[in-house]
Amino acid sequence: EFRRVLFRSRVGVLKAPELLKSYRGAFAEGFKEDFEPSHGVEDALLLESLEPGELSIRLRAPVVSDSRDLRFSMARIGPAISLTEVLPILQGLGVEVVDEHPYEIRRSGQEAARIVEFGVVLPQGNIYAYETLFARFREAFKACWNGRCEVDAFNGLVVSAGLRWEEVVIRSEEHTSELQSPDHLVCR
């Protein structure tokens, strides 16, 4: 089925045989049970576009779900993705992580790739600017992952208040400055 979907995809007849050779047996049975062949082709094409160590992230709403249930996935060529690094970022963004499914993709003649799929639930209450949430969430996650912003509860404003991560950093700095101001110090 993967072969048929691959040939029908945007890859074309010339590149498809090379990808078939590279991905023959690459996907574990667990991946095949969890996803349709078209998803495997999508992931294979994504992995082909990545440099070793480069991180790709996606946030999507499942076809059948509560509007607060989302799927968050990370893909990278190279070593396993550490939950110890990922969970604090997701929690700081204010989502609840309800499940995690790691997959190792063993491509022929190439370094192994990793895909980790998380089930996340948005917090209760209003979600402002829902139409831009997925892009803002991805950018905020990448900023935290790459060390461009702190991993803290202020990042939850990206989800709940509709802010971009840059706006959260500015507000966080303003709040910290106010707290350090002599006007806010109380001695008893």
Side-chain angles (χ1 to χ4, degrees):
E1 182 67 16
F2 181 84
R3 177 187 173 103
R4 187 174 60 74
V5 172
L6 182 63
F7 274 102
R8 287 185 178 171
S9 74
R10 63 183 181 270
V11 171
V13 180
L14 297 177
K15 188 161 172 121
E18 177 187 328
L19 288 173
L20 280 172
K21 182 179 176 187
S22 183
Y23 285 88
R24 181 170 287 124
F27 293 99
E29 288 304 313
F31 186 94
K32 293 175 189 175
E33 291 170 9
D34 292 345
F35 299 107
E36 296 292 323
S38 59
H39 192 100
V41 168
E42 212 176 282
D43 282 343
L45 296 175
L46 171 68
L47 294 172
E48 290 299 307
S49 73
L50 295 177
E51 296 294 324
E54 182 182 359
L55 182 70
S56 172
I57 59 175
R58 294 182 286 194
L59 184 67
R60 61 184 171 78
V63 175
V64 178
S65 76
D66 179 288
S67 64
R68 294 189 182 279
D69 296 340
L70 302 175
R71 301 303 298 172
F72 174 75
S73 63
M74 304 173 67
R76 178 171 75 182
I77 296 169
I81 298 168
S82 169
L83 277 176
T84 305
E85 294 176 72
V86 175
L87 288 179
I89 298 172
L90 291 174
Q91 291 166 338
L93 285 165
V95 297
E96 178 186 359
V97 178
V98 293
D99 63 53
E100 177 251 354
H101 301 275
Y103 305 98
E104 182 178 28
I105 314 302
R106 294 180 173 263
R107 305 169 302 156
S108 176
Q110 298 180 59
E111 188 175 2
R114 319 289 175 169
I115 297 174
V116 184
E117 179 95 8
F118 296 93
V120 297
V121 179
L122 295 174
Q124 292 298 317
N126 292 331
I127 302 295
Y128 295 96
Y130 188 86
E131 64 281 357
T132 62
L133 172 64
F134 291 18
R136 287 183 289 106
F137 189 96
R138 285 191 307 267
E139 289 303 313
F141 185 92
K142 279 188 173 182
C144 291
W145 183 266
N146 294 325
R148 292 182 292 164
C149 75
E150 295 294 320
V151 177
D152 59 28
F154 282 114
N155 297 329
L157 295 171
V158 169
V159 172
S160 63
L163 299 177
R164 293 184 332 275
W165 74 268
E166 300 93 343
E167 295 172 303
V168 172
V169 168
I170 291 168
R171 289 175 191 250
S172 171
E173 289 171 355
E174 288 172 354
H175 181 70
T176 302
S177 295
E178 287 175 7
L179 289 177
Q180 293 172 347
S181 162
D183 295 338
H184 285 82
L185 297 177
V186 177
C187 296
R188 292 180 189 207

